[in-house]
Amino acid sequence: MQIQPASTDQLLLETALQAGYGFQVACLEFLRRGWGGDCYRAETHSGACYFLKLHDSGSAGAFAASSRDFYLPLMDQLHSLGILPHIPHPIHTRTGALSLAVGPREMVVSPYIQGKLVGLEEFPQDVLVQLANLVGTLHASLPHLSFEHPFVERFEIVFEPALCANLVALEAITPQHGPGMQQLQAALLPRRDDVYRALERLKTLQTQARAAHPEMVVCHTDLHGDNLMRDEQGNLYLLDWENAMIAPREHDMIFFAGESPPTWETFWSVYTRYFPGVELDPNLLAFYYHRRGLEDIADFLVRIAKRDGGPQRDQEDLQELLEILDGLVFLPGRS
């Protein structure tokens, strides 16, 4: 169940759009509560449509590395230079900025993309080929870009304190905490040691990753089907650039390297046209697989603990949390 923001928030946004961008808003529609902020669709009196994200102040509950000082200029350059024309890109304010302060929060405005999400099922063949070309183009783009604030992978485990604190807190859950928390305790407490073992494995892989000195490229880092959209013309858009960084290519490859042989072979055969002879480091793939899984578990723990998603969302989060843990526990080569 989505919680509709107060009408005063919408009025504040309409005023900000007029003052900061010169937009005369005819309609402002709340879309959803996304990770880290509220999302809206705005239509102006001229008929132009825009996507707004009003980012939460602070970073509580956000464990994935991100930097708007990096990813907003990245999206702007990729689009304006024609490297990746089919991506969302920040609209400049009247003063030339890529975002706008709205009270304690920050608003980013981009053109509204009308299309259909690819989704989390297996990618159709034509989408897979398109995606491999887009990822190859992205990874080859770094020499053409410039950044005042480059955001470079440092192989950190920023979610570890919150993950461990929430695992310890499982013991203190009582009936007063509600059904979501009780179900979380019953499902995860017996498997808490599995999480700790996966975390120790991640730390070993972290040491190996830092010693490897891999080639760095621009990575999207979140290339699942819910971040891919096709428009009516068949163009494939890469959405949600909030966790983009300069990192080893393996960061993006975890979304493909573990797939069935036909899927991986199709993707890799297209991708390597951009990087002939390149090879992947299995330890880096394992690092990113473990870090992503444990990062997601930490996010789900916090979300269920906050009890702001409702019973159905708690059930969905808990099921996905356990599936992620199963994948980490039974990963081949786990020590």
Side-chain angles (χ1 to χ4, degrees):
M1 173 178 155
Q2 294 288 354
I3 299 175
Q4 178 77 28
S7 58
T8 52
D9 291 342
Q10 298 208 22
L11 180 60
L12 181 64
L13 286 178
E14 292 178 14
T15 303
L17 286 168
Q18 166 64 33
Y21 293 89
F23 295 161
Q24 295 281 353
V25 179
C27 176
L28 184 64
E29 176 189 4
F30 174 72
L31 298 176
R32 63 185 181 275
R33 170 71 181 167
W35 284 102
D38 296 322
C39 302
Y40 297 81
R41 176 184 177 273
E43 184 173 347
T44 67
H45 286 289
S46 66
C49 292
Y50 299 94
F51 178 83
L52 282 60
K53 183 162 184 181
L54 189 61
H55 292 268
D56 295 339
S57 56
S59 57
F63 302 123
S66 63
S67 168
R68 280 193 287 275
D69 288 339
F70 172 72
Y71 72 74
L72 291 180
L74 169 64
M75 296 162 67
D76 186 49
Q77 290 183 65
L78 289 173
H79 179 266
S80 64
L81 295 175
I83 297 171
L84 290 177
H86 299 302
I87 62 170
H89 56 281
I91 302 295
H92 291 240
T93 69
R94 283 175 159 176
T95 62
L98 299 178
S99 63
L100 184 71
V102 181
R105 307 172 79 183
E106 186 174 0
M107 179 171 66
V108 177
V109 179
S110 59
Y112 188 83
I113 302 169
Q114 186 67 48
K116 183 178 180 180
L117 292 177
V118 172
L120 298 177
E121 302 298 325
E122 185 174 346
F123 295 149
Q125 186 80 358
D126 60 331
V127 170
L128 191 62
V129 171
Q130 280 183 287
L131 181 56
N133 277 301
L134 292 177
V135 175
T137 300
L138 174 64
H139 287 186
S141 68
L142 188 55
H144 308 288
L145 307 172
S146 61
F147 302 105
E148 185 176 350
H149 303 286
F151 194 80
V152 182
E153 173 67 88
R154 302 197 184 280
F155 306 102
E156 296 173 339
I157 308 174
V158 296
F159 55 84
E160 181 181 2
L163 175 62
C164 292
N166 278 280
L167 290 174
V168 171
L170 290 174
E171 296 178 350
I173 292 173
T174 68
Q176 284 73 32
H177 286 87
M181 291 294 287
Q182 292 179 65
Q183 291 165 2
L184 178 65
Q185 181 190 56
L188 195 56
L189 192 57
R191 303 194 60 186
R192 187 168 58 177
D193 287 346
D194 288 336
V195 181
Y196 285 133
R197 280 191 287 270
L199 183 58
E200 287 307 307
R201 170 64 173 152
L202 175 59
K203 291 179 180 179
T204 299
L205 292 165
Q206 178 190 48
T207 300
Q208 296 171 351
R210 286 175 167 166
H213 304 293
E215 179 187 4
M216 297 288 192
V217 299
V218 177
C219 288
H220 179 281
T221 81
D222 206 14
L223 293 170
H224 57 74
D226 277 352
N227 283 335
L228 305 175
M229 178 178 284
R230 297 184 86 181
D231 64 16
E232 293 182 352
Q233 290 72 44
N235 298 308
L236 185 66
Y237 287 78
L238 304 183
L239 310 178
D240 193 0
W241 289 78
E242 294 181 11
N243 296 313
M245 64 169 62
I246 299 171
R249 71 185 79 248
E250 284 83 357
H251 203 331
D252 280 339
M253 291 302 162
I254 60 169
F255 295 94
F256 312 105
E259 296 300 313
S260 63
T263 297
W264 169 242
E265 289 166 5
T266 297
F267 180 90
W268 190 244
S269 66
V270 175
Y271 177 84
T272 49
R273 295 173 192 169
Y274 296 85
F275 301 96
V278 72
E279 296 182 357
L280 297 179
D281 183 333
N283 287 330
L284 283 172
L285 288 172
F287 170 79
Y288 283 117
Y289 186 84
H290 278 76
R291 189 172 76 173
R292 175 59 182 253
L294 289 168
E295 176 184 284
D296 285 347
I297 289 173
D299 272 326
F300 288 137
L301 280 169
V302 169
R303 186 156 68 188
I304 294 172
K306 289 171 67 176
R307 291 178 284 178
D308 60 359
Q312 182 177 348
R313 185 62 178 271
D314 285 349
Q315 284 289 323
E316 293 170 355
D317 287 349
L318 182 58
Q319 181 61 38
E320 188 166 351
L321 184 157
L322 293 175
E323 289 173 1
I324 292 169
L325 182 55
D326 285 341
L328 293 173
V329 169
F330 297 108
L331 185 69
R334 173 179 168 268
S335 62

